[in-house]
Amino acid sequence: MYNVHRMVNLPKSVRIVEVGPRDGLQNEAKTVATDKKAEFIRLLAAAGLKDIEVASFVHPKWVPQLADAAELIRMLEPVAGVRYSALVPNMKGLDRAIETGIRRIAVFTAASETFNRKNINMGVQESIEVFRPVVERALKEGISVRGYVSTCFVCPYEGAVAKEKVAEVVKALFDLGVDEVSIGDTIGAATPKDVETTGGHLLQQFPAGKLAMHFHDTYGMAVANVYQSLQMGFTTFDSSAGGLGGCPYAPGASGNLATEDLLYLMERLGIETGASLKLVRLASHFISGELDRQLPSRVLQTS
Ligand code: HMG
Ligand code: MG
């Protein structure tokens, strides 16, 4: 019989990395005007989100929706306690990032070769070598660096990905000097069982506090995967307002875990986030109006 008194160890608080303005808007058919992006980010910061990934310095031809990264970052007002960040794939991207004065960047690679080639036109080891001087220079400039590993569970081209391969790439990123690695379920195919297997393997080698879980919600598993992660000790989650997003180089990838869905779960579990569900909804309604489409977040749709 199930023991209703079984204690589940859940954390008292979690950290949210809001990726809507980057992971979200990079995959929308409509490009949002720069000043509207800035307003969206202002609303997200006003909602209490402290880590906001706002843009990326990738090739503008690869992701035209984010080609205005420099102009956008210059428009953002500093907000006490709020950290803005942007993706950087190589030294050219870092040059562009440094010019804007941004204080945090993220380098990104994958656990599967085919996806990485399609996404950044490099092999996995090759990308680590490209990042080495990028991370070194960023840190010298006082810019902190996050790392991403995509396709940690399933690759859209190669299928299931081995947990050992994920751990190898995570280690390579930490060895470069990144302070946190985000574990990407790029096409939203993972289930709690996969999170237990791969996440459990990672926790044998790396502290939970240095790993973030980055779920997409293609199969509606993102919230279940968060609950699984919480029970394992993970306390950092990437999400996007309204459930915007996807990856243009991962066929079948839909939006990220919605920030509203994450916040609803945290509120009901009594876990602090520092963010207001009501105010995130406002930001999502705003960007939904700009995109002229209904966003997929289930919680957002209830209001
Ligand atoms: P490439 O064509 O191999 O680049 O693209 P290259 O190094 O051969 O250079 C070709 C030309 O591009 C050169 O110009 C460079 O200067 C220029 P030319 O000399 O011919 O005039 N160039 C650049 N221009 C501006 N900014 C740059 C830059 N780099 C080179 N940074 C590259 C390689 C990495 C640039 C390209 O593949 C690219 O931009 N890819 C980005 C793809 C992307 O943004 N994907 C989505 C983000 S990842 C994601 O969403 C997953 C994540 O959310 C986690 C998850 O869910 O799993 C993070
Ligand atoms: Mg993503």
Side-chain angles (χ1 to χ4, degrees), residues 13-48:
S13 65
V14 297
R15 195 176 127 241
I16 298 178
V17 179
E18 169 61 46
V19 297
R22 191 282 303 171
D23 207 348
L25 297 184
Q26 78 180 7
N27 204 36
E28 292 292 334
K30 191 172 165 193
T31 299
V32 176
T34 313
D35 60 330
K36 304 294 184 195
K37 288 182 185 173
E39 176 62 10
F40 177 43
I41 293 162
R42 196 188 65 71
L43 290 169
L44 292 169

Side-chain angles (χ1 to χ4, degrees), residues 22-23 26 57-59 90 96 119 121 150 186 214 216:
R22 191 282 303 171
D23 207 348
Q26 78 180 7
F57 292 98
V58 298
H59 197 296
N90 54 20
R96 293 173 56 210
N119 194 41
N121 205 18
S150 284
T186 314
H214 180 106
H216 284 257

Side-chain angles (χ1 to χ4, degrees), residues 19 22-24 26 53 87 148 150 182 184-187 214-216 238 244-247 253-256:
V19 297
R22 191 282 303 171
D23 207 348
Q26 78 180 7
E53 196 171 74
L87 292 193
Y148 275 100
S150 284
S182 176
D185 178 20
T186 314
I187 58 166
H214 180 106
F215 297 119
H216 284 257
D238 298 354
L244 289 163
C247 174
S254 74
N256 293 80

Side-chain angles (χ1 to χ4, degrees), residues 33-223:
T34 313
D35 60 330
K36 304 294 184 195
K37 288 182 185 173
E39 176 62 10
F40 177 43
I41 293 162
R42 196 188 65 71
L43 290 169
L44 292 169
L49 292 160
K50 300 284 179 221
D51 273 287
I52 310 179
E53 196 171 74
V54 296
S56 64
F57 292 98
V58 298
H59 197 296
K61 277 197 194 133
W62 284 60
V63 185
Q65 294 92 329
L66 304 185
D68 60 351
E71 198 189 341
L72 170 65
I73 290 165
R74 288 201 192 92
M75 269 185 197
L76 300 177
E77 299 131 26
V79 178
V82 173
R83 201 157 60 148
Y84 301 124
S85 63
L87 292 193
V88 160
N90 54 20
M91 196 57 89
K92 169 91 184 172
L94 181 63
D95 287 338
R96 293 173 56 210
I98 287 173
E99 271 182 43
T100 67
I102 200 153
R103 306 308 299 153
R104 184 162 176 80
I105 61 160
V107 293
F108 56 106
T109 185
S112 67
E113 292 296 328
T114 317
F115 173 78
N116 211 44
R117 288 210 174 275
K118 301 257 187 199
N119 194 41
I120 57 173
N121 205 18
M122 297 177 225
V124 175
Q125 188 52 40
E126 186 187 353
S127 67
I128 297 293
E129 293 316 319
V130 165
F131 299 158
R132 194 179 304 283
V134 171
V135 176
E136 200 181 355
R137 182 165 156 226
L139 295 179
K140 251 190 215 144
E141 299 268 352
I143 297 171
S144 66
V145 189
R146 163 182 246 221
Y148 275 100
V149 182
S150 284
T151 57
C152 288
F153 304 94
V154 183
C155 168
Y157 307 101
E158 295 176 18
V161 174
K163 58 186 191 300
E164 294 80 8
K165 178 68 192 176
V166 179
E168 198 182 291
V169 184
V170 170
K171 181 174 184 314
L173 285 172
F174 279 130
D175 287 348
L176 292 181
V178 308
D179 56 38
E180 164 177 79
V181 176
S182 176
I183 305 303
D185 178 20
T186 314
I187 58 166
T191 65
K193 182 77 200 150
D194 304 311
V195 172
E196 186 178 35
T197 304
T198 299
H201 185 69
L202 294 175
L203 290 177
Q204 287 173 3
Q205 300 173 55
F206 313 103
K210 288 192 159 242
L211 298 174
M213 298 308 263
H214 180 106
F215 297 119
H216 284 257
D217 205 20
T218 319
Y219 289 84
M221 292 291 120
V223 163

